[in-house]
Amino acid sequence: MILAILQARMSSTRLPGKVLMPLAGAPLIVRQIERVSRAGRIDRLVVATSDQPTDDPLEAAVRREGIAVFRGSLDDVQSRFIGALDAFGPADHVVRLTADCPLADWTVIDATIDAFLAADADYGSNTPAHRTYPKGLDVEVMRAEVLRQAAVEARTPEEREHVTWALHRRPDRWRQAFHSQTAEEGEVRWTVDRPDDYAFVAAVYDALYAGNRAFTSQDVRDFVHSRPDLIDYGGDRRV
């Protein structure tokens, strides 16, 4: 089984509460879940949030959509992932996603998983040293047993907070596979960490969602090209 774990919290330092900010009439995380759920390679999706009271509204919003929730440590995100794996496994592979990517592309998720499986790797992603996909389409995939081993061996705060810190820094230890595209979009910003990021994504949803709930990454590119005011919105490349 392939288990996708979507990590989320309300206490983002740069844009608190962003996961529940509205996009086309629903919370941002709900819109992301809609998109992730179209990935054919994912067998089950669970949202992993913290056990802090500040994340109670997040759990309620996600459960209303019929999505499973696991709650664990706020700061030790790696242990939160292991807890979610224990609660909703057994799984052979784990996909790591983060809840600041409401333009997540299910075709990229599936292609990254396919590349990982074809290579018989321990860890894979679409964000190698030379990334080609926009920030906000990030996907990581790993063997469940490898994630567990990394958690047992973790000693630093970075390993605990960033979950896969050791996996992608130890190619000598873990077999790695990366998925890239031909287009050079590594500097394009579709993630939501700042108010201008949210304003950009809200403009995309306002323009595209009503006409096609399954709008594609190419639809986003075409829309932004039609809006010169959005191309470098907030000082970052948006297309």
Side-chain angles (χ1 to χ4, degrees):
M1 183 182 79
I2 297 178
L3 175 68
I5 301 177
L6 176 61
Q7 69 182 71
R9 64 187 174 110
M10 291 288 287
S11 54
S12 168
T13 54
R14 285 178 286 187
L15 191 59
K18 65 184 178 183
V19 292
L20 295 186
M21 295 174 75
L23 286 177
L28 182 151
I29 192 170
V30 171
R31 293 301 182 218
Q32 180 170 347
I33 288 170
E34 285 181 356
R35 297 179 68 81
V36 171
S37 297
R38 296 188 179 97
R41 278 297 198 171
I42 290 174
D43 297 307
R44 190 168 193 182
L45 172 65
V46 58
V47 171
T49 191
S50 88
D51 54 11
Q52 300 299 300
T54 51
D55 284 318
D56 290 350
L58 170 57
E59 178 182 14
V62 171
R63 289 197 184 277
R64 281 196 295 269
E65 301 301 314
I67 301 297
V69 177
F70 177 82
R71 301 187 69 168
S73 171
L74 175 63
D75 298 317
D76 189 346
V77 187
Q78 191 176 64
S79 73
R80 199 194 311 167
F81 267 64
I82 298 300
L85 178 58
D86 289 341
F88 295 98
D92 302 303
H93 303 98
V94 174
V95 175
R96 181 191 180 212
L97 303 167
T98 57
D100 52 4
C101 304
L103 297 179
D105 187 324
W106 58 96
T107 67
V108 176
I109 293 172
D110 281 343
T112 303
I113 295 172
D114 284 340
F116 166 84
L117 294 174
D120 193 28
D122 295 316
Y123 169 84
S125 79
N126 68 333
T127 59
H130 178 71
R131 69 177 295 154
T132 59
Y133 281 101
K135 300 175 180 71
L137 299 190
D138 298 15
V139 186
E140 291 180 287
V141 57
M142 66 217 76
R143 294 183 188 273
E145 63 189 53
V146 168
L147 176 60
R148 291 186 185 279
Q149 187 62 40
V152 168
E153 297 176 2
R155 296 292 183 270
T156 67
E158 290 82 6
E159 289 173 297
R160 292 296 186 181
E161 179 183 356
H162 299 294
V163 184
T164 58
W165 182 272
L167 299 185
H168 60 78
R169 283 169 169 76
R170 289 290 307 278
D172 58 318
R173 174 82 184 280
W174 314 113
R175 291 171 296 174
Q176 300 182 353
F178 298 103
H179 174 61
S180 298
Q181 64 174 0
T182 302
E184 293 287 349
E185 297 181 314
E187 297 303 315
V188 173
R189 185 176 177 85
W190 289 357
T191 189
V192 176
D193 280 324
R194 311 181 309 234
D196 59 286
D197 296 332
Y198 169 70
F200 168 76
V201 169
V204 171
Y205 268 84
D206 288 346
L208 300 179
Y209 187 79
N212 178 12
R213 294 189 174 195
F215 64 85
T216 67
S217 291
Q218 189 56 49
D219 292 329
V220 176
R221 295 181 186 100
D222 292 343
F223 166 66
V224 177
H225 277 302
S226 76
R227 287 279 305 271
D229 59 310
L230 294 178
I231 289 176
D232 295 302
Y233 192 78
D236 284 284
R237 275 187 63 191
R238 304 292 181 170
V239 71

